[in-house]
Amino acid sequence: IVNLIRSEGKASYDNLLGDPATGPTTQVSGVGDAAFLVSKPGTAGFDFRRGDAFVAIVLVAGGDAPVDQATVLASALAERL
């Protein structure tokens, strides 16, 4: 699942990052202006913002969380925003 918010994305990003329901996050550098990763068994959520756009990516797979795949997708999307 990929969700793009083109405007007011910084506020959405900040709200999600600060929400305890998001769970433990890992800050990620090199993708957009700010990014974080949330991973659970079988699921990787990668959220980033670039300018005022916000992108949320959720990948689901059996077994380990698809963190590498989510990171590659996020990097490609960030370059195109």
Side-chain angles (χ1 to χ4, degrees):
I1 300 170
V2 177
N3 187 18
L4 168 64
I5 299 172
R6 290 196 173 270
S7 62
E8 299 182 24
K10 182 178 184 319
S12 297
Y13 176 91
D14 292 342
N15 287 337
L16 189 60
L17 183 58
D19 185 348
T22 301
T25 61
T26 303
Q27 297 292 319
V28 179
S29 61
V31 178
D33 296 331
F36 67 89
L37 175 70
V38 178
S39 69
K40 300 174 184 175
T43 304
F46 199 109
D47 301 273
F48 73 91
R49 68 173 184 80
R50 182 166 181 201
D52 202 30
F54 168 67
V55 177
I57 299 168
V58 177
L59 295 182
V60 179
D64 295 334
V67 172
D68 292 340
Q69 294 91 335
T71 303
V72 168
L73 179 57
S75 295
L77 289 171
E79 290 176 10
R80 288 170 174 78
L81 283 179

